[in-house]
């Protein structure tokens, strides 16, 4: 009976919501997946041509430098303001690009790339790289320049302007960058089955981006104090059914919502949204340079190796006993280069014997993303103004509704279960349609990823490619709109209704 009622609610809500939906925005025309390699190669060739030219203008605040990657001769000009080289044989611009700190590696400091002193176009960056390589400098000396070069290659191929990419604004202002970055991810997967992290991240990105848009929309529209009252009533009902001591069995996010949403301000939501957008750019900046370099080199690892030797990518932390080595805390670690060597075995196709190791290597990239890249940023978001950060991160966990086939949402995968033994000897077991964990806590998030996301996606790659390909080739504007919680409200409500349960058992 409960399922029939829930089904009726879902149908009615679906009809009402879909009848008001505007058509999804038209997707801009983008190259087919098999053309990405040629795009990346042509960009590399353009950079090489620029480097080989006898003079390359590199503007700065007070000098004009001339570079050449094929000749060590210098300009005959004697003017100190236009001198093309120094006593090292490098142009002044190339010399100034050495030993730069990666001040914006996590995307939290400024607009643009990793260091504001560096150009943001790959042709200029490539010319500088050719100079420092030819001069024999170790990759660690030009790490920031190398990173910026491959980041620029990535953003150019995705159609994103690196110089103006500012995540500290709004979801609306970043929509184009969201769409283009995740489209870029998915096209890697479509062209190369071994690049499974990219496809997985692209699919999850639609749910993430859609959630951000609705979160931003709700910031100024909803009465958040009223939500505090509603959650407080829910907590009171649980206490009435299972006893006052059952409150201790509830996740911290629920009382945080009660407390925080009494006084939360729109500015708090905007700060929180900007932190999540920073994480999105941080992930792109960390893993896309590796993917771009891998494909540009035709599945070879020359450029990937150079980035690793420059110290840009440490080994990947894993749980104790599962890696090839151990860190100072006894946790196993995987060598990043070995991870990419394993992925590269699938360049010409994935055999049955290679499927497991390649999936495991992509899992290591995902763990790097979730642990090394953004875990501290999630921790900071959860800690924001005490109960406010706890409430907002928990609220995101409640409304999450993954679109990957077979993946259970957090509220279903690990729901809140409250037990209370009655004087009759029986136990009341209440299952609430709420997650018993918080997405921002790494260990809890990773447990869900290992149990739900990773196995379901890997199975689709190997056993249901046609269905996965159909999903990944959809215009990304459509995918992002389909991931919006407001448009999935019938599914979310049905999920909550079917998860809610009350049992009386004898224990």
């Amino acid at each position: 009976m409960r399922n029939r009622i829930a089904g009726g609610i879902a149908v009615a809500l679906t009809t009402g919501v879909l009848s008001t939906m505007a058509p999804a925005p038209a997707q801009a025309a983008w190259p087919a997946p098999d053309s990405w390699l040629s795009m990346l190669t042509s960009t590399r060739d353009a950079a090489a041509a620029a480097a080989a030219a006898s003079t390359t203008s590199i503007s700065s605040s007070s000098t004009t430098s001339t570079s050449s990657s094929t000749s060590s001769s210098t300009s005959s000009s004697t003017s100190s303001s236009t001198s093309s080289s120094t006593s090292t044989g490098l142009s002044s611009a190339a010399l100034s690009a050495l030993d730069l700190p990666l001040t914006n590696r996590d995307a939290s400091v400024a607009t643009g790339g990793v260091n504001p002193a560096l150009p943001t176009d790959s042709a200029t960056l490539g010319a500088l790289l050719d100079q420092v390589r030819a001069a024999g400098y170790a990759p660690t000396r030009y790490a920031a320049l190398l990173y910026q070069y491959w980041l620029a290659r990535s953003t150019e191929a995705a159609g994103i302007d690196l110089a103006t990419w500012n995540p500290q604004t709004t979801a609306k202002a970043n929509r184009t960058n969201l769409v283009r970055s995740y489209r870029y991810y998915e096209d890697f997967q479509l062209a190369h089955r071994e690049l499974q992290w990219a496809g997985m991240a692209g699919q999850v990105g639609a749910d993430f981006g859609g959630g951000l848009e609705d979160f931003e929309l709700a910031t100024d529209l909803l009465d958040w104090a009223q939500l505090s009252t509603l959650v407080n009533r829910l907590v009171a009902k649980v206490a009435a059914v299972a006893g006052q001591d059952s409150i201790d069995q509830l996740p911290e996010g629920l009382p945080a919502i009660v407390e925080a949403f009494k006084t939360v301000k729109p500015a708090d939501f905007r700060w929180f949204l900007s932190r999540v957008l920073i994480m999105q750019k941080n992930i792109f900046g960390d893993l896309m340079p590796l993917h771009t370099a891998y494909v540009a080199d035709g599945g070879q690892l020359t450029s990937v190796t150079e980035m690793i030797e420059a110290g840009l990518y440490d080994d990947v932390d894993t749980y104790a006993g599962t890696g090839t080595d151990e860190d100072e805390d006894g946790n196993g670690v995987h060598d990043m280069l070995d991870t990419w060597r394993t992925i590269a075995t699938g360049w010409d196709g994935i055999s049955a014997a290679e499927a497991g190791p390649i999936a495991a290597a992509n899992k290591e990239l995902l763990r790097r993303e979730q642990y090394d890249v953004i875990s501290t940023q999630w921790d900071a978001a959860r800690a924001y103004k005490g109960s406010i950060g706890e409430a907002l991160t928990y609220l995101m966990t409640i409304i999450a509704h993954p679109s990957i086939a077979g993946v259970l949402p957090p509220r279903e995968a690990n729901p809140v279960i409250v037990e209370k033994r009655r004087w009759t000897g029986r136990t009341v077991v209440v299952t609430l349609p709420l997650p018993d964990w918080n997405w921002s806590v790494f260990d809890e998030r990773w447990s869900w990823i290992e149990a739900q996301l990773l196995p379901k996606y890997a199975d689709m790659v190997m056993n249901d490619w046609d269905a996965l390909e159909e999903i990944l080739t959809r215009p990304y504007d459509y995918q992002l709109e389909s991931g919006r919680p407001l448009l999935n409200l019938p599914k979310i409500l049905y999920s909550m209704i079917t998860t809610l349960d009350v049992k009386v058992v004898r224990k």
Side-chain angles (χ1 to χ4, degrees):
M1 178 66 179
R2 181 184 62 192
N3 289 345
R4 289 201 298 272
I5 294 172
I9 293 173
V11 170
L13 285 169
T14 302
T15 303
V17 171
L18 294 181
S19 66
T20 61
M21 283 179 58
Q27 170 81 15
W30 292 99
D34 59 3
S35 69
W36 283 112
L37 179 57
S38 61
M39 277 188 66
L40 293 169
T41 303
S42 65
T43 305
R44 177 191 61 199
D45 294 342
S54 60
T55 56
T56 300
S57 176
I58 302 174
S59 60
S60 65
S61 60
S62 62
T63 66
T64 301
S65 303
T66 304
S67 65
S68 171
S69 62
T70 60
S71 172
S72 62
S73 62
T74 62
S75 170
S76 60
S77 172
T78 59
S79 169
S80 60
S81 65
T82 59
S83 176
S84 63
S85 66
T86 66
S87 59
T88 63
L90 294 178
S91 69
S92 57
L95 189 62
S96 67
L98 293 173
D99 302 315
L100 287 175
L102 282 70
T103 54
N104 196 34
R105 176 67 188 266
D106 68 356
S108 68
V109 177
T111 298
V114 70
N115 188 298
L118 289 169
T120 55
D121 67 287
S122 66
T124 302
L125 291 162
L128 296 176
L129 263 180
D130 282 344
Q131 287 189 58
V132 297
R133 285 168 176 155
Y137 285 97
T140 51
R141 297 289 308 278
Y142 57 85
L145 173 62
L146 180 65
Y147 175 87
Q148 183 93 334
Y149 170 71
W150 284 110
L151 178 58
R153 287 282 299 272
S154 301
T155 52
E156 287 166 5
I160 296 170
D161 181 9
L162 177 59
T164 61
W165 188 355
N166 182 10
Q168 299 188 48
T169 53
T170 64
K172 183 178 180 180
N174 275 276
R175 181 189 169 91
T176 297
N177 288 343
L178 288 170
V179 169
R180 293 182 178 182
S181 59
Y182 291 131
R183 174 75 273 156
Y184 191 51
Y185 288 9
E186 290 188 344
D187 283 347
F188 273 124
Q189 174 69 101
L190 288 167
H192 301 280
R193 290 201 193 187
E194 74 275 20
L195 298 180
Q196 293 167 20
W197 174 88
M200 198 167 13
Q203 263 205 277
V204 172
D207 308 320
F208 165 83
L212 287 180
E213 287 201 324
D214 281 351
F215 210 73
E216 187 167 273
L217 178 66
T219 294
D220 295 308
L221 294 181
L222 295 185
D223 184 344
W224 296 101
Q226 189 175 57
L227 180 60
S228 170
T229 301
L230 291 173
V231 174
N232 197 31
R233 289 177 182 173
L234 171 65
V235 172
K237 286 289 185 183
V238 171
V241 172
Q244 188 63 35
D245 58 348
S246 65
I247 302 303
D248 294 335
Q249 301 177 50
L250 297 177
E252 294 179 5
L254 280 176
I257 288 176
V258 174
E259 179 63 28
F261 287 1
K262 293 176 183 177
T263 58
V264 69
K265 301 291 192 298
D268 296 319
F269 285 93
R270 295 190 184 100
W271 180 92
F272 181 80
L273 282 167
S274 73
R275 297 308 100 181
V276 182
L277 286 166
I278 285 170
M279 291 184 227
Q280 189 268 334
K281 184 182 178 184
N282 189 12
I283 293 169
F284 182 102
D286 187 75
L287 287 170
M288 278 301 97
L290 291 168
H291 285 72
T292 301
Y294 169 78
V295 172
D297 286 350
Q300 302 301 309
L301 299 176
T302 305
S303 298
V304 169
T305 300
E306 185 182 26
M307 282 189 273
I308 292 171
E309 289 178 347
L312 292 170
Y313 295 93
D314 296 329
D315 292 335
V316 183
D317 272 336
T318 57
Y319 291 118
T322 62
T324 58
D325 202 348
E326 288 190 350
D327 63 16
E328 63 274 14
D329 298 321
N331 296 315
V333 295
H334 281 260
D335 180 86
M336 176 61 92
L337 189 54
D338 283 345
T339 295
W340 276 95
R341 287 190 183 112
T342 301
I343 291 172
T345 62
W347 178 265
D348 294 319
I350 303 175
S351 67
E354 293 167 338
I358 286 174
N362 278 276
K363 174 182 175 180
E364 293 307 323
L365 295 185
L366 180 57
R367 182 178 169 83
R368 175 182 174 81
E369 170 205 327
Q370 293 296 324
Y371 183 75
D372 295 277
V373 180
I374 61 171
S375 64
T376 58
Q377 290 179 322
W378 270 124
D379 290 343
R382 187 177 64 258
Y384 174 70
K385 289 189 177 181
S387 62
I388 291 180
E390 181 78 38
L392 292 176
T393 51
Y394 184 68
L395 182 61
M396 287 193 72
T397 317
I398 294 174
I399 65 175
H401 195 78
S403 58
I404 294 178
V407 175
L408 294 177
R411 61 186 167 273
E412 288 186 50
N414 188 14
V416 173
I417 297 177
V418 178
E419 297 185 1
K420 176 65 178 179
R421 188 171 179 82
R422 310 299 291 178
W423 65 271
T424 59
R426 295 187 176 185
T427 299
V428 178
V429 181
V430 180
T431 302
L432 298 174
L434 298 168
D436 197 23
W437 58 286
N438 188 311
W439 178 264
S440 67
V441 178
F442 170 74
D443 287 337
E444 297 174 1
R445 179 170 73 251
W446 188 250
S447 293
W448 178 84
I449 288 172
E450 282 195 304
Q452 294 293 326
L453 183 60
L454 281 165
K456 305 295 173 51
Y457 189 82
D459 181 68
M460 287 193 76
V461 171
M462 295 308 301
N463 302 313
D464 201 3
W465 177 258
D466 289 345
L468 179 60
E469 186 177 43
E470 189 278 324
I471 294 169
L472 297 181
T473 52
R474 294 171 184 170
Y476 206 86
D477 271 308
Y478 172 81
Q479 291 185 55
L480 191 142
E481 287 297 308
S482 298
R484 296 182 65 169
L486 286 177
L487 300 186
N488 285 287
L489 190 57
K491 295 178 183 178
I492 293 173
L493 290 175
Y494 185 77
S495 162
M496 298 182 86
I497 290 170
T498 54
T499 302
L500 178 64
D501 190 37
V502 179
K503 293 179 181 178
V504 180
V505 299
R506 185 180 296 276
K507 287 190 176 182

